[in-house]
Amino acid sequence: MSSTVPADMINLRLILVSGKTKEFLFSPNDSAADIAKHVYDNWPMDWEEEQVSSPNILRLIYQGRFLHGNVTLGALKLPFGKTTVMHLVARETLPEPNSQGQRNREKTGESNCCVIL
């Protein structure tokens, strides 16, 4: 991959769970769904073992958060002309916002109960 990224583009270095990486150029107007479709349509040869059946199950993770399909790179305020690292995972559904905290509380038996006297 060339070391210079066009000033009006964002270079994404996508990392699979297996640790394999590949870089793709996107415009700030591209959404997470656009990126998933582009990667699916241009699936790298050395990612063959990780090939998925549909672009709809590809999910991007940025700074520990799943990106919803309509979020654009511009909305994330990613730097132009630079490389940003994201994880790419195959997952049918996205976790509901705040559902993880709820599930963790159920496991620990902790509750956030408030009594007002």
Side-chain angles (χ1 to χ4, degrees):
M1 193 64 160
S2 65
S3 58
T4 56
V5 178
D8 61 342
M9 299 291 278
I10 296 166
N11 190 46
L12 285 189
R13 179 177 300 138
L14 300 178
I15 305 175
L16 297 179
V17 175
S18 64
K20 293 177 182 170
T21 65
K22 197 56 132 193
E23 295 185 5
F24 297 90
L25 280 176
F26 293 102
S27 101
N29 298 327
D30 286 327
S31 69
D34 297 332
I35 293 164
K37 174 131 181 55
H38 177 81
V39 172
Y40 179 81
D41 291 343
N42 299 276
W43 199 257
M45 292 296 274
D46 59 336
W47 286 11
E48 208 174 321
E49 292 159 27
E50 285 87 358
Q51 178 72 56
V52 294
S53 58
S54 157
N56 302 333
I57 64 169
L58 288 174
R59 307 289 181 204
L60 291 167
I61 302 174
Y62 178 60
Q63 295 184 335
R65 291 203 174 102
F66 281 95
L67 300 183
H68 287 267
N70 54 358
V71 172
T72 64
L73 296 180
L76 296 170
K77 298 189 174 26
L78 300 183
F80 294 110
K82 297 249 175 9
T83 298
T84 297
V85 176
M86 290 191 186
H87 288 85
L88 183 70
V89 297
R91 188 176 171 148
E92 292 286 339
T93 58
L94 282 178
E96 289 295 316
N98 299 329
S99 67
Q100 254 150 348
Q102 189 65 42
R103 222 174 288 122
N104 290 348
R105 274 199 295 279
E106 285 167 14
K107 279 186 200 145
T108 61
E110 224 180 273
S111 69
N112 292 341
C113 187
C114 183
V115 179
I116 300 171
L117 300 174

